[in-house]
Amino acid sequence: MANITDLTALGKTSVTANDFFLTANSARGDNKKFSISDLFPTVQSKSGATGIALFVDVTDKNIVNLKGIKSANAKLTTTTVSSDIVLTLVEAQIDLANCNNSSSFLTSVNLASNVTGTLPVANGGTGATAFADKSVIITQDSGTDTLAAVAMSTNGQLLIGGTSGPAVSTLTAGTNVTITNADGAITIASSLASVASDLDMNNNDIDLGTGYLSSDGASNGVRVTGNNAYIGASGSYFNSSLLNLSGGIDFASGASYSIQVAAGTSPGTLTLRGQTNSAVNGGGGNTSIYAGTANGSGTGGTLGLYGGDSGSGTGGAVKIVTSVAGTETDALTVDGASDVTVNAGSLIITSATEGIVHTNSGTVTQATDHTTGVTINATSGVIQLAAVTLAAAVNAEFTVTNSTVQADSVIILTVQDENTTNNAQLTACTHTIAGGSFKVSVHNPAATGATSATASKIHFLIINNSV
């Protein structure tokens, strides 16, 4: 057997998988081999996904290489204490301005122990060490680096803004306004005894209660109750209609005015009524309508009563109506065709200066003799007879053509006899009255002697029974 000193030395870096140790088991009496490579250590890093492994590598089969630990700056120091590596955080080296507090690692700051001096406004402080009692804090006129205290120790003081910055002041009472200042309270009251300018309610309402709108504050003028309005003195107050007046109505001069119901599709009735007397057997109040009074030799105004107009239908009528015991009667009617009808009662003329005046009478002259017909279209007129003689005891008749005549007309004739013959006098009568004409018979009732050849006249008046 060779001596161990005679064998070739095997360096650790030259060991391969084919190099073994020879072992002998004394109990079993057998020999085995052991791989030399299994004697060298194998190091593995167990660092997590975000961790940093200390192991670097193994060199020369049995030298384990590890990373060293050092601080990147002065905020962290590393020292070795016994067998430990000690990492120390230097708090004085930490600048919180560079820290991200999104995770709220910093929840409070002890201003008594962690802050020295006066905290400036720029850092969230007030820049002051004390403020006066009963004060409010305001900023300066410009800039952001100073806060100031303004004392508010007087009743009624307010902080009021302005172009020069906020300032402490009190409210000033205006017209009809009183201001009462108290400790922590301000009372503003308005009496509205007078208003120095127009009062604009901005579409809002005024609740007058039972009061009046007046020029002197007295209980007269305009009072509104519910939906009704009253104009007048309080002593005469009444509330029976939408508008109630205790006094007259005057319109301004120099213009035309109207009182009318607004246009609509369902016309109502406009009624002007005098006072109803509620006393036993008391007479009703009169209602008078006057046209305007002229001055000096001027002409007085005309009072017109108009029926309603109609574009193509029938015009409205004008009626004079009487009423007895609640029963109304159309006494006189002027209809839309301008026909005047006396419906009830009598047409009585008393003390008439001219009597009955008919200004639309007609005239016509008979051409040849007393039998020659004439045409005259009027309800009254004068027919001048032909200037011829009429023998004694002789009748002569002629036809009068007149469009106003009806078959039932009443025709009144009078003779203006211009005859100059003694004991001879003309008479006249009508007969054969028909629609549009009537006949006149002229008669000389004298026994002897003809009438003179002078032109006498026949006056007529036609009264019709219908229109």
Side-chain angles (χ1 to χ4, degrees), residues 6 44 64 67 120 125 130 167-168 191 214 257 296 305 321 358 369 378-379:
D6 297 329
Q44 293 181 346
V64 177
K67 296 177 181 178
V168 173
S191 61
S214 67
Y257 302 94
L305 298 177
V321 181
H358 191 287
D369 55 34
T379 55

Side-chain angles (χ1 to χ4, degrees), residues 88 92 107 132 137 156 167 173 234 251 256 270 301 315 331 338 355 371 387 405 409 434:
T88 303
T107 58
I137 307 303
S234 60
F251 295 100
S256 298
L270 177 63
S338 299
T371 61
V405 176
S409 295

Side-chain angles (χ1 to χ4, degrees), residues 240-294:
S240 57
S241 297
L242 183 63
L243 178 61
N244 307 276
L245 305 177
S246 178
I249 300 176
D250 285 348
F251 295 100
S253 62
S256 298
Y257 302 94
S258 64
I259 299 176
Q260 65 182 36
V261 180
T265 57
S266 300
T269 299
L270 177 63
T271 302
L272 180 64
R273 184 187 297 271
Q275 181 181 0
T276 298
N277 196 333
S278 58
V280 177
N281 298 323
N286 296 329
T287 300
S288 301
I289 301 176
Y290 293 89
T293 301

Side-chain angles (χ1 to χ4, degrees), residues 108 198 218 255 322 358 396 433:
S108 63
D198 294 339
T322 60
H358 191 287
I433 299 173

Side-chain angles (χ1 to χ4, degrees), residues 88-341:
T88 303
L89 180 65
V90 182
E91 295 178 355
Q93 296 293 328
I94 297 177
D95 186 355
L96 294 180
N98 296 325
C99 296
N100 183 352
N101 195 39
S102 60
S103 61
S104 301
F105 73 89
L106 183 63
T107 58
S108 63
V109 175
N110 190 327
L111 297 179
S113 60
N114 298 134
V115 177
T116 60
T118 301
L119 187 63
V121 174
N123 292 342
T126 63
T129 58
F131 293 109
D133 294 341
K134 301 177 182 179
S135 300
V136 293
I137 307 303
I138 63 172
T139 64
Q140 61 185 11
D141 188 20
S142 62
T144 60
D145 57 348
T146 302
L147 295 179
V150 179
M152 299 180 64
S153 57
T154 302
N155 290 349
Q157 286 185 317
L158 296 174
L159 187 64
I160 302 175
T163 57
S164 299
V168 173
S169 183
T170 56
L171 297 178
T172 301
T175 304
N176 300 321
V177 175
T178 58
I179 297 176
T180 304
N181 297 316
D183 186 8
I186 300 175
T187 301
I188 301 175
S190 175
S191 61
L192 282 182
S194 64
V195 178
S197 60
D198 294 339
L199 180 62
D200 185 353
M201 295 304 299
N202 194 24
N203 300 322
N204 293 305
D205 301 324
I206 299 177
D207 185 356
L208 295 176
T210 58
Y212 285 78
L213 287 176
S214 67
S215 62
D216 57 1
S219 294
N220 57 67
V222 179
R223 173 178 171 179
V224 180
T225 305
N227 294 326
N228 298 351
Y230 167 78
I231 301 177
S234 60
S236 302
Y237 173 77
F238 63 101
N239 186 32
S240 57
S241 297
L242 183 63
L243 178 61
N244 307 276
L245 305 177
S246 178
I249 300 176
D250 285 348
F251 295 100
S253 62
S256 298
Y257 302 94
S258 64
I259 299 176
Q260 65 182 36
V261 180
T265 57
S266 300
T269 299
L270 177 63
T271 302
L272 180 64
R273 184 187 297 271
Q275 181 181 0
T276 298
N277 196 333
S278 58
V280 177
N281 298 323
N286 296 329
T287 300
S288 301
I289 301 176
Y290 293 89
T293 301
N295 186 18
S297 61
T299 302
T302 299
L303 176 63
L305 298 177
Y306 294 84
D309 191 15
S310 175
S312 59
T314 302
V318 176
K319 294 184 177 182
I320 296 178
V321 181
T322 60
S323 179
V324 177
T327 300
E328 295 181 347
T329 302
D330 294 348
L332 186 145
T333 301
V334 182
D335 62 21
S338 299
D339 292 328
V340 180
T341 302

